[in-house]
Amino acid sequence: MARSNEPAFWSLFSAGGMVAAFLFPAAIFITAYMVPAGKIEADNLRMVMSHPISRLLLVAMISLPLFHWAHRFRFVLVDLGIKGFKLPIAILFYGTAVGSTICAAYLLLV
Amino acid sequence: MATTDTQSSTKTMKLEVFRFLPDEGEPPSFQVYEVPYRDDWVVLDALNYIKDEIDGTLSYRWSCRMGVCGSCGMMVNGEPKLTCSAFLRDYYPQQIKVEPLSYFPVIRDLIINMDHFIDKMGEVKTWLIPAEDKPIEDGEYLQTPAQLAKYKQFTMCINCMLCYSACPVFGQNPDFIGPAAIALGQRYNLDSRDGGADERADVLFSDEGIWECTFVGECSEVCPKNVDPAGAIQMAKVTATNDWFKSFLMPGGRKKSGGNK
């Protein structure tokens, strides 16, 4: 039996899960509480986030959870009992993640 | 003993038992038996009572009656259980439905065909492949308590196959190597005396191996020995992913892989 190339998708899935679990709560805390409460100036935050490294981080924060979603939904469909269509399903879900990553990168980096 | 308490016991309980007798050409059916209720009886005691006192044609596997041999696994009210550890008192006064383990072919009544499971253990090579050949005169292979602790949990598996009956992925794809065989593979991969991780990886790290698992986690829920096969599979996924990236970084990296001892 050949070894699988699944680690490529699984590592993106894992990374996305880490982002969603650790970085999202921090981002929500900052944007939904710290800024409206006046503890962080919105202009300061905007300045920090307009730095190229911050923008790159934002692209990763948007992209990786999308791969997490794609991987999870692919296997939710398996768990729901959908047999076959493995390739079209994979192309649709991972394709959405790739497309959204390109959009995010275009909007934030170009 | 099953026969002595029938007079003293007034309470009874009903068991709805799956019957399949291929020799008689009848389709599978359910048969209801009424058995005495005793609060220290398990489902297996009730089955033995049926076999001894009511219907000698009922077939099922059992041996040790104490949760060690792994023979008496069946579906009890739809859940995979060792029937020697499933007490009647936890179901009384409701009727109990007893069926053969899910997702396996049935040979007769409550007896399933476990050939594919045995084959899978052979494919994974769930035995010790010595890392170094050592003549007997050189003495034993020593191991520290810390080295033992790494894999000890996975040695508790009794091959009862409850985890397979709990696994929806196995239900959909009978070729999935499955929880117990993977956990046993990990048991040897993590053993400091073992050098077979690379041989096992070709099966464990294939599409039919760990990557088929969607981390439902039911295998660990039903395991009567707390082996945690789901944990073993997740550990193996990390190892397989590290190996996969290494195979790009180092030429021939895929050749020497597997263990994280």
Side-chain angles (χ1 to χ4, degrees):
Chain A
M1 267 185 264
R3 294 199 196 173
S4 177
N5 285 317
E6 197 65 28
F9 302 104
W10 190 74
S11 48
L12 285 167
F13 164 78
S14 305
M18 294 291 274
V19 168
F22 292 109
L23 298 186
F24 273 20
I28 291 167
F29 182 71
I30 291 167
T31 53
Y33 172 70
M34 295 295 269
V35 173
K39 298 194 188 287
I40 292 176
E41 286 291 327
D43 284 340
N44 289 349
L45 182 65
R46 193 170 291 120
M47 214 161 67
V48 170
M49 293 320 290
S50 57
H51 190 276
I53 290 175
S54 308
R55 286 163 178 267
L56 209 59
L57 183 75
L58 277 181
V59 172
M61 271 181 74
I62 292 164
S63 169
L64 291 173
L66 280 163
F67 281 98
H68 186 86
W69 161 82
H71 194 76
R72 172 137 300 167
F73 262 58
R74 183 181 147 210
F75 283 112
V76 161
L77 291 187
V78 172
D79 286 341
L80 287 175
I82 294 172
K83 291 181 185 177
F85 311 110
K86 277 193 172 168
L87 191 63
I89 285 171
I91 290 172
L92 178 70
F93 286 167
Y94 293 124
T96 305
V98 170
S100 310
T101 302
I102 292 169
C103 283
Y106 179 78
L107 290 172
L108 285 161
L109 300 177
V110 180
Chain B
M1 289 292 107
T3 47
T4 53
D5 53 83
T6 40
Q7 288 82 17
S8 60
S9 163
T10 46
K11 288 184 200 165
T12 62
M13 202 171 175
K14 282 183 177 152
L15 257 70
E16 187 183 5
V17 182
F18 180 91
R19 299 301 312 268
F20 176 54
L21 302 164
D23 301 341
E24 321 215 324
E26 295 282 320
S29 62
F30 282 92
Q31 196 165 341
V32 178
Y33 298 99
E34 192 158 3
V35 298
Y37 169 76
R38 282 184 50 172
D39 64 0
D40 59 349
W41 267 16
V42 292
V43 173
L44 181 62
D45 291 320
L47 291 173
N48 284 340
Y49 179 86
I50 294 168
K51 177 101 179 163
D52 291 344
E53 304 292 328
I54 307 174
D55 186 349
T57 66
L58 182 66
S59 303
Y60 50 95
R61 285 194 184 103
W62 66 286
S63 180
C64 78
R65 303 172 295 117
M66 50 200 287
V68 174
C69 75
S71 306
C72 69
M74 298 169 207
M75 304 301 284
V76 179
N77 281 358
E79 268 184 70
K81 295 259 185 200
L82 293 182
T83 49
C84 68
S85 312
F87 280 89
L88 295 183
R89 60 172 181 259
D90 293 332
Y91 302 90
Y92 183 83
Q94 268 81 39
Q95 183 167 305
I96 300 175
K97 193 172 196 173
V98 185
E99 296 162 277
L101 284 176
S102 292
Y103 310 139
F104 288 94
V106 178
I107 296 173
R108 181 189 163 102
D109 290 342
L110 300 165
I111 297 177
I112 53 113
N113 183 336
M114 61 172 86
D115 289 354
H116 286 143
F117 171 65
I118 305 290
D119 291 344
K120 280 167 186 168
M121 292 206 290
E123 286 172 37
V124 174
K125 302 188 182 175
T126 56
W127 52 82
L128 195 89
I129 300 169
E132 40 160 346
D133 267 326
K134 209 162 79 155
I136 291 173
E137 306 84 68
D138 290 3
E140 55 277 76
Y141 292 86
L142 296 176
Q143 196 163 54
T144 65
Q147 286 170 326
L148 172 68
K150 284 205 168 181
Y151 67 84
K152 191 171 181 224
Q153 177 188 16
F154 304 131
T155 68
M156 305 309 283
C157 177
I158 55 174
N159 307 335
C160 66
M161 294 169 285
L162 298 194
C163 52
Y164 284 78
S165 280
C167 176
V169 177
F170 176 65
Q172 298 221 26
N173 178 8
D175 293 329
F176 174 37
I177 296 296
I182 295 174
L184 284 167
Q186 277 295 93
R187 177 251 172 274
Y188 291 101
N189 281 352
L190 297 175
D191 190 321
S192 61
R193 301 162 296 178
D194 183 273
D198 193 52
E199 287 175 53
R200 286 183 205 105
D202 289 336
V203 175
L204 284 181
F205 299 171
S206 71
D207 284 324
E208 309 281 70
I210 51 173
W211 298 114
E212 192 75 2
C213 168
T214 61
F215 202 17
V216 175
E218 277 300 302
C219 50
S220 295
E221 291 291 319
V222 301
C223 179
K225 293 290 171 186
N226 299 317
V227 170
D228 191 13
I233 295 172
Q234 296 309 302
M235 277 169 75
K237 281 180 179 176
V238 175
T239 308
T241 303
N242 286 341
D243 285 354
W244 188 80
F245 280 107
K246 272 186 210 158
S247 72
F248 290 105
L249 293 174
M250 300 183 265
R254 193 167 278 207
K255 291 260 156 60
K256 28 179 160 28
S257 68
N260 46 354
K261 294 199 173 81

